[in-house]
């Protein structure tokens, strides 16, 4: 799984040969869970999953948490664990500001400490800074408790990516032999039967929502005092401006209340809807399975027959038949990751 503040699609496209669209504007380039087609590296099949971060420009933090939690819990319930998680950080960033720090905090709550040995902190954008500047920032990130020091001390790795295929492959190879582990939020929801609000990530998010509301309440008190002063002075223009600001602030507090209140309810509803969608897709797949199996058997028989007839042909010709068979076998395999990706896309209105 790749989880990041900067868009990881370029990394995925480089190492897997995918063609995920990369954003060139200010809008988030990842606001849904995306699954790249599997590829083979060192004889191992690798599937990369791109998840959004809590810095999205089109979805709220509660939507992002529900989306990631749905994907992770559903895959875990189907026996799927992750061999590694990559968190991408731009070394070109002048400093690790509030958004980056908060994003990483939520990332840690999702993963938990027990999986840190399977986590890579990946720094990119090295071509945008001088070596001295980049190395100084790298040292600060690795040595400051506010940044990555604590996770590195508990087994996480920090690596550089130079945007080449060789670099990307070397990074993925670091994860190939890992023992797949359940992330903290998977254990909390599935094994411990916790509500999403009771998870570490849900608790952290709700705490931030309540803190934000408290700040808005303080601002509202200040506005009310200014409004009272404006009314006493019969300053109609200022009064109208302050009333508009108060309405805007109240609307924001109402939104926070709704997000906090509906986090758990929406998650349970979406979880049920996701399971329903997967069941429907599974039923459709079973209807086509017999036909696809017959077509598969027929094609395989034709290739094997032609291969036997051409037994005396060149080694290159025989290797070509081998490639055809391998490709046919790959195309005939079930696509669990693709199915769940499509189901979640439909659930969150992505087509």
């Amino acid at each position: 799984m790749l989880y990041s503040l900067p868009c990881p699609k370029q990394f995925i496209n480089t190492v897997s040969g995918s063609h995920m669209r990369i954003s060139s504007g200010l809008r988030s380039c990842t606001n849904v869970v995306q699954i790249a087609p599997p590829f083979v590296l060192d004889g191992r099949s690798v599937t990369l999953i791109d998840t959004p971060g809590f810095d999205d420009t089109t979805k709220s933090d509660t939507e992002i948490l529900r989306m990631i939690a749905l994907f992770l819990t559903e895959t875990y319930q189907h026996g799927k664990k992750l061999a590694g998680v990559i968190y991408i950080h731009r070394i070109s960033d002048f400093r690790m500001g509030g958004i980056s720090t908060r994003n990483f905090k939520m990332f840690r709550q999702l993963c938990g400490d027990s999986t840190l040995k399977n986590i890579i902190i990946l720094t990119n954008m090295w071509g945008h800074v001088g070596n001295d500047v980049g190395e100084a920032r790298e040292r600060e990130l690795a040595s400051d408790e506010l940044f990555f020091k604590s996770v590195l001390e508990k087994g996480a790795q920090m690596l550089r990516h130079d945007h080449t295929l060789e670099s990307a492959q070397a990074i993925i190879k670091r994860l190939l032999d890992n023992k797949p582990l359940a992330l903290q939020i998977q254990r909390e929801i599935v094994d411990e039967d916790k509500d999403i609000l009771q998870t570490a990530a849900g608790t952290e998010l709700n705490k931030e929502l309540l803190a934000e509301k408290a700040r808005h309440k303080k601002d509202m008190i200040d506005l009310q005092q200014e409004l009272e002063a404006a009314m006493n002075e019969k300053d109609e223009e200022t009064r109208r401006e302050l009333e508009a600001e108060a309405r805007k602030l109240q609307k924001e507090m109402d939104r926070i209340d709704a997000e906090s209140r509906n986090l758990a309810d929406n998650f349970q509803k979406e979880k049920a809807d996701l399971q329903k969608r997967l069941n429907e897709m599974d039923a459709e797949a079973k209807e086509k399975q017999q036909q696809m199996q017959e077509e598969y058997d027929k094609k395989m028989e034709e290739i094997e027959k032609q291969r036997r007839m051409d037994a005396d042909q060149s080694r290159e010709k025989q290797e070509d038949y081998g490639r055809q068979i391998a490709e046919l076998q790959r195309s005939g395999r079930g696509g669990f990751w693709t199915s769940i990706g499509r189901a979640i896309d439909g659930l969150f209105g992505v087509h």
Side-chain angles (χ1 to χ4, degrees), residues 27-158:
R27 297 172 70 87
S28 301
C29 60
T30 299
N31 60 11
V32 294
V33 175
Q34 296 189 70
I35 302 158
F39 62 98
V40 176
L41 183 62
D42 283 357
R44 309 277 289 278
S45 179
V46 179
T47 299
L48 296 179
I49 304 153
D50 179 18
T51 63
F54 291 88
D55 60 320
D56 192 73
T57 54
T58 61
K59 285 184 167 56
S60 68
D61 288 345
T62 54
E63 286 181 297
I64 295 299
L65 177 59
R66 296 198 318 266
M67 184 184 297
I68 294 175
L70 278 172
F71 176 81
L72 290 174
T73 54
E74 191 65 33
T75 53
Y76 183 50
Q77 286 178 317
H78 281 79
K80 306 292 184 181
K81 299 178 185 178
L82 301 174
V85 183
I86 300 174
Y87 182 95
I88 302 179
H89 177 78
R90 290 183 295 249
I91 201 68
S92 57
D93 285 354
F94 179 72
R95 61 187 179 88
M96 190 164 173
I99 293 177
S100 299
T101 303
R102 179 173 172 276
N103 208 28
F104 186 65
K105 181 187 295 184
M106 290 299 298
F107 169 78
R108 284 205 62 182
Q109 302 293 7
L110 287 169
C111 295
D113 285 353
S114 64
T115 60
L116 289 178
K117 60 185 177 182
N118 284 3
I119 288 176
I120 289 177
I121 309 295
L122 187 65
T123 55
N124 66 353
M125 302 293 184
W126 281 86
H128 293 248
V129 296
N131 283 338
D132 291 345
V133 173
E135 289 173 359
R137 291 177 184 174
E138 184 181 50
R139 287 192 297 271
E140 183 180 9
L141 290 170
S143 61
D144 196 318
E145 290 284 356
L146 294 176
F147 305 145
F148 303 141
K149 180 182 178 181
S150 60
V151 298
L152 295 175
E153 289 177 342
K154 295 178 180 178
Q157 305 175 66
M158 187 158 72

Side-chain angles (χ1 to χ4, degrees), residues 75 132 135 192 204 226 231 239 247 255 303:
T75 53
D132 291 345
E135 289 173 359
E192 301 170 21
E204 180 66 32
E226 292 180 32
M231 292 175 66
R239 180 187 63 80
R247 287 193 297 270
R255 178 194 65 79
I303 294 174

Side-chain angles (χ1 to χ4, degrees), residues 305-314 317-318 321:
K305 181 179 178 181
Q306 191 63 43
R307 188 179 189 179
R308 288 193 297 271
M309 290 175 61
D310 294 342
D312 59 344
Q313 293 295 315
S314 66
K317 186 71 173 178
Q318 291 298 316
Y321 284 128

Side-chain angles (χ1 to χ4, degrees), residues 35 277 281 284 337-347 350:
I35 302 158
R277 286 175 180 271
M281 292 169 68
E284 293 174 3
W337 294 107
T338 299
S339 296
I340 194 168
R342 285 172 49 209
I344 289 179
D345 284 353
L347 191 64
V350 181

Side-chain angles (χ1 to χ4, degrees), residues 191-206:
D191 298 337
E192 301 170 21
D193 197 29
K194 287 185 177 180
D195 186 276
I196 191 170
L197 270 174
Q198 297 173 314
T199 66
T203 300
E204 180 66 32
L205 179 55
N206 197 48

Side-chain angles (χ1 to χ4, degrees), residues 276-288:
K276 181 181 178 182
R277 286 175 180 271
L278 287 172
N279 289 339
E280 290 171 351
M281 292 169 68
D282 186 53
E284 293 174 3
K286 286 180 178 178
E287 290 179 6
K288 298 177 182 179

